[in-house]
Amino acid sequence: MHDRPVDPVPTQTLEAFADTIIPGVKRFPGDRAISGVAAEDGAVAAGALAVLADPALGLADALNGMAGMLNMHAGDYARKHVVRLDPTVPAFVALSFDERTALVQELTDPSHPEREVWFGAALFCTMAFDSAPHMSTKDALAQGHPGLALIGFATPEPDGLWRFPRFSYERALADPHPDTTSTGSPA
Amino acid sequence: MSATEKFDVVVVGSGFGGAITAYHLAAGGASVLVLERGPWLTGEDFDHDFKLGSSYTRIFDFTVGDGMSVLAGNCVGGGSVVYFATMPRAPGFVFERHGSIGRRMWPASIDRAALDPWYDLVSEALPVTRQDWRDVPYAGGLFAAACAHAGRTANPVPSAIDKPKCTNCNWMMAGCKFDAKRSLLLNYLPAAVAHGAEIRPLHEVQRLSRTGDGDYLVHYNVVDDTDYRLSGPGGTVEAKLVVLAAGAGATPVILQRSEAELGAMPHAVGRYFSGNGERLNTAVINDERAREVLGLDRGDGQAYGAHQIGKGPCVATWDKLDPTLPEYSRFSLEQLYFPPGLGTILAQAPGATGPTWFGREKKDMLREWQSWLTVFAMTEDDNEGVFGPPPATGNAERIAQQMLGRGALSYQPTDNTRRGWAQSDADVKDILERDGIARVMPWSNDLVGAYTVHPLSSCRIGDDPRTSALDDRHELRGHPGIFVTDGSAVPGALTVNPALTIAALAERAVPGLVRAAQRRGVKVTYGAPSPSAAPAEAVAGRG
């Protein structure tokens, strides 16, 4: 996939962002990127970073810059709220889950000039979780993708296509509008 | 360099406005070229897959603006390939709307009765058929039952779906793999091709100019088939008549870019955009209450739990389509489905104490996704949208390889529109929160502003030159030989799904187009039979 080495600072930072959007379980003791407020896998485990870096989205070259901006905003947040940050991890990673959440709310507020960037990043993290757009849906389901499993997305038929032969209560459940025309439209 | 190609008619866009006019003009003997900026996909190309680069991203555009995001088709067949095929006729009172211009927005020559014969023609061609309660999926049935419980009426909505072929898979926005959804690929487009029309995909028209002898030059780019951000100059085509049908998000932009060479455009070009007053709410259904209160049972232990199953909107309630109610307070409500991915981000978790659209409580709401019911409101907005200066090419600055872009549309809802939204939100709550059936929250309008899948009115017909870009024959004021037949021609929000109305208006415009073509020296007649007689298999284009 990537030729460049994986830089831990932007990686951890973006993982922490993704975890704020759809939180998950810590992957290992000492996992600082994931806060661990959830009992099941979240956006990180669902592949948020793979989605953000997917060439189709056109963001791959911007990710390091985005991580840098996010840490800058986290530093500003910490100064404003008099929060002491652990200097051994990126600033956004050093924030608690609630602090990260508050910052993301600020960055996505209608009045924030960078709202589009951060909403877009949040959108892709959510998409990673509930639709796994970095892989074929059939494969994702077969591999037990955590988001598709959590939302209960039904599996396809053996040919990889979805069909629901039983789909209706098959009875009238309301009276139609009295002025309905002969073609079934409103008058 | 070869001589410029010449056609009698160039049609820009292959959705309803383009396909219908292309068919009739080709069948009538004109030489017709259809330039479509999207790719050409048919049944076997449609994927049941969320992977980026699958059909749903190839054929679908999400254009973010300032206060309004527009979702639209981007392929041969246009909106008809991605739509939910919900096809009601517009109620009579819609044609009497004044909006904020102090006079009837629609031309005097058009009302429901005048449009009915054209609605009939389209309904025969696609075809549009009524839905039986046995066709209505669980989500629609539940919505109907909740409406009845709240003392409302509810109707299965007529649709352009071949019910026996439909698998209720809800993959409609990716194109119908089973050819059950009646897109234009199955009727008007193959019929146009059979009569000699040529369709060129990945050809994006940028602007028009004039030749020395009063004909038009259509300037197009060629778009890369995978990375739509890559496009380069393609060429020009000469035409005696141009039909613009690029959609309400794109037609005005082409005209804006043409103004320098064609001369001043009517004031209404790129103004009065309407998003059809659209609004979404998500209800999280309490399965036990659905059983106890509504008496619903799937027969497998669940009352509902069927969000994923269906074929788009199937049931609507029309009680508020009441001609005695004041303008801006009328609307229809429809049960709907949007897939995961784009369809969940704006949904807000009911009762959340923290953030509503992300975080822990949003995740908890996603856990109940199969118990979601999405309700769509189409209200009367105030034609607030305005297009700013156009981007360098196309109608958007593309961000991702496919699907996502940033456009120049700006939209700030007036109090009239906000009131209509508040009323429709309250109505959805009243229906679905009764007796604990569900908890309801609207989609957030804070994140991308308003959104629409039915862009309209940005180059509209009317009788008043100050507030309409086209006369009632759909000709562009001050620019004879340029016609507009897409959703941008519709004067205002329709309170129902617009496709059938857009198509009927296009059919109605054809005789006038034929006369205009004849006056410009084109050998063409009117009177081709309905394309329902065309072969049932979609025509595939390659290259």
Side-chain angles (χ1 to χ4, degrees):
Chain A
M1 277 229 304
H2 310 276
D3 290 324
R4 56 189 100 141
V6 176
D7 187 334
V9 168
T11 299
Q12 268 201 315
T13 305
L14 294 172
E15 285 177 342
F17 179 87
D19 188 61
T20 309
I21 302 304
I22 305 285
V25 203
K26 281 191 190 284
R27 293 161 291 182
F28 48 86
D31 182 350
R32 297 291 297 275
I34 293 184
S35 283
V37 302
E40 298 145 305
D41 283 336
V44 174
L49 261 64
V51 172
L52 287 169
D54 194 310
L57 291 182
L59 279 183
D61 289 340
L63 291 179
N64 284 355
M66 281 168 61
M69 294 290 292
L70 196 50
N71 285 323
M72 189 195 76
H73 288 307
D76 289 344
Y77 181 95
R79 268 186 293 281
K80 193 162 112 191
H81 296 267
V82 195
V83 171
R84 263 203 35 216
L85 294 180
D86 175 354
T88 67
V89 293
F92 188 81
V93 176
L95 294 175
S96 70
F97 184 81
D98 286 347
E99 288 161 351
R100 295 175 186 179
T101 297
L103 178 54
V104 171
Q105 279 182 294
E106 274 179 34
L107 295 174
T108 53
D109 186 85
S111 62
H112 198 286
E114 291 165 26
R115 161 177 57 107
E116 253 184 46
V117 174
W118 304 113
F119 170 72
L123 166 64
F124 300 138
C125 292
T126 304
M127 284 174 74
F129 187 72
D130 70 9
S131 63
H134 54 305
M135 51 193 307
S136 106
T137 306
K138 184 176 165 200
D139 289 348
L141 284 163
Q143 292 169 30
H145 183 270
L148 290 169
L150 182 134
I151 70 171
F153 200 78
T155 50
E157 299 197 334
D159 66 354
L161 300 180
W162 275 261
R163 298 175 185 82
F164 295 104
R166 299 200 51 206
F167 61 90
S168 176
Y169 298 115
E170 297 182 357
R171 58 190 176 96
L173 287 160
D175 290 329
H177 193 283
D179 298 337
T180 306
T181 67
S182 61
T183 61
S185 277
Chain B
M1 174 119 130
S2 50
T4 308
E5 289 183 282
K6 291 189 204 222
F7 286 83
D8 292 331
V9 183
V10 167
V11 176
V12 181
S14 59
F16 284 102
I20 290 172
T21 51
Y23 164 66
H24 282 287
L25 290 164
S31 66
V32 176
L33 173 66
V34 180
L35 296 173
E36 165 56 56
R37 71 166 184 195
W40 196 340
L41 277 66
T42 59
E44 66 192 26
D45 304 313
F46 299 135
D47 302 307
H48 281 196
D49 206 325
F50 292 126
K51 185 176 200 299
L52 294 167
S54 301
S55 60
Y56 85 110
T57 62
R58 295 175 70 192
I59 63 176
F60 194 78
D61 261 11
F62 186 104
T63 305
V64 179
D66 174 19
M68 172 64 73
S69 291
V70 176
L71 287 77
N74 176 47
C75 56
V76 172
S80 80
V81 175
V82 299
Y83 79 159
F84 292 128
T86 310
M87 306 296 261
R89 302 185 185 203
F93 67 77
V94 153
F95 301 92
E96 307 309 319
R97 288 195 60 204
H98 280 211
S100 290
I101 61 168
R103 54 169 294 163
R104 200 177 190 266
M105 292 197 291
W106 285 79
S109 58
I110 304 178
D111 60 12
R112 172 64 183 268
L115 212 49
D116 267 326
W118 306 104
Y119 278 135
D120 289 342
L121 262 185
V122 179
S123 299
E124 185 202 337
L126 294 179
V128 176
T129 50
R130 297 188 68 155
Q131 277 198 76
D132 189 79
W133 284 104
R134 280 181 307 252
D135 300 319
V136 168
Y138 298 116
L142 187 150
F143 183 61
C147 285
H149 181 67
R152 316 301 176 90
T153 66
N155 284 54
V157 193
S159 66
I161 296 176
D162 186 340
K163 321 285 193 280
K165 280 193 176 157
C166 176
T167 65
N168 291 277
C169 68
N170 256 335
W171 279 98
M172 301 171 89
M173 282 165 59
C176 181
K177 201 150 185 70
F178 305 108
D179 283 343
K181 182 171 76 176
R182 302 300 300 177
S183 76
L184 295 163
L185 296 169
L186 301 176
N187 36 62
Y188 284 98
L189 287 171
V193 169
H195 283 281
E198 196 184 319
I199 302 177
R200 292 187 194 163
L202 300 170
H203 280 55
E204 184 184 63
V205 171
Q206 304 302 312
R207 64 191 170 84
L208 309 176
S209 61
R210 268 196 200 90
T211 67
D213 39 359
D215 291 344
Y216 287 101
L217 271 178
V218 181
H219 303 253
Y220 63 88
N221 279 7
V222 175
V223 181
D224 185 82
D225 128 291
T226 303
D227 188 343
Y228 301 153
R229 297 173 300 183
L230 305 174
S231 81
T236 58
V237 185
E238 215 176 290
K240 294 195 167 307
L241 203 85
V242 176
V243 179
L244 286 176
T251 284
V253 181
I254 292 172
L255 289 174
Q256 284 177 308
R257 221 184 258 116
S258 306
E259 194 162 27
E261 284 169 283
L262 290 185
M265 287 291 142
H267 171 82
V269 169
R271 288 190 174 82
Y272 305 109
F273 171 98
S274 162
N276 206 32
E278 304 192 334
R279 187 93 174 132
L280 280 150
N281 274 261
T282 299
V284 182
I285 304 294
N286 180 316
D287 211 65
E288 263 318 292
R289 302 300 288 154
R291 180 187 304 284
E292 286 161 14
V293 175
L294 302 177
L296 296 173
D297 186 346
R298 283 174 55 171
D300 61 1
Q302 291 181 96
Y304 171 58
H307 184 225
Q308 186 177 352
I309 300 174
K311 42 183 174 289
C314 292
V315 170
T317 178
W318 292 329
D319 293 346
K320 293 298 196 294
L321 296 186
D322 179 349
T324 68
L325 291 173
E327 193 165 349
Y328 303 112
S329 65
R330 301 167 295 201
F331 54 87
S332 67
L333 299 176
E334 248 173 30
Q335 144 276 320
L336 180 67
Y337 171 84
F338 273 122
L342 283 179
T344 55
I345 184 69
L346 299 179
Q348 302 192 83
T353 52
T356 57
W357 62 278
F358 72 94
R360 268 178 291 214
E361 289 165 295
K362 181 62 179 281
K363 189 182 184 188
D364 289 338
M365 187 192 181
L366 284 169
R367 192 176 286 111
E368 299 183 87
W369 182 78
Q370 287 285 14
S371 291
W372 288 18
L373 181 78
T374 312
V375 182
F376 188 44
M378 287 165 280
T379 74
E380 295 172 288
D381 70 6
D382 223 349
N383 295 86
E384 301 99 321
V386 178
F387 284 78
T393 64
N395 75 322
E397 195 189 297
R398 289 190 169 273
I399 300 165
Q401 283 182 0
Q402 297 171 0
M403 204 169 58
L404 294 168
R406 190 180 294 105
L409 175 60
S410 161
Y411 181 93
Q412 308 304 327
T414 65
D415 285 344
N416 289 327
T417 300
R418 289 185 188 281
R419 227 174 25 244
W421 285 344
Q423 284 174 335
S424 58
D425 284 351
D427 213 32
V428 177
K429 258 194 198 300
D430 184 52
I431 291 169
L432 283 164
E433 287 193 340
R434 267 174 207 248
D435 300 313
I437 295 166
R439 292 160 298 140
V440 178
M441 272 280 270
W443 281 22
S444 169
N445 258 35
D446 287 342
L447 297 165
V448 293
Y451 41 81
T452 182
V453 295
H454 297 135
L456 301 168
S457 313
S458 52
C459 192
R460 63 184 184 175
I461 58 177
D463 288 337
D464 173 16
R466 286 169 307 165
T467 56
S468 63
L470 316 168
D471 62 25
D472 75 338
R473 299 166 308 111
H474 290 249
E475 194 163 37
L476 184 66
R477 295 184 185 286
H479 298 274
I482 299 177
F483 287 78
V484 176
T485 53
D486 59 21
S488 67
V490 176
L494 299 174
T495 67
V496 295
N497 320 67
L500 194 65
T501 300
I502 295 170
L505 286 170
E507 278 279 7
R508 177 185 170 278
V510 171
L513 277 165
V514 169
R515 279 193 294 276
Q518 289 167 344
R519 278 198 299 274
R520 297 172 80 80
V522 176
K523 282 186 156 50
V524 61
T525 57
Y526 178 67
S530 169
S532 59
E537 296 307 307
V539 170
R542 291 287 172 262

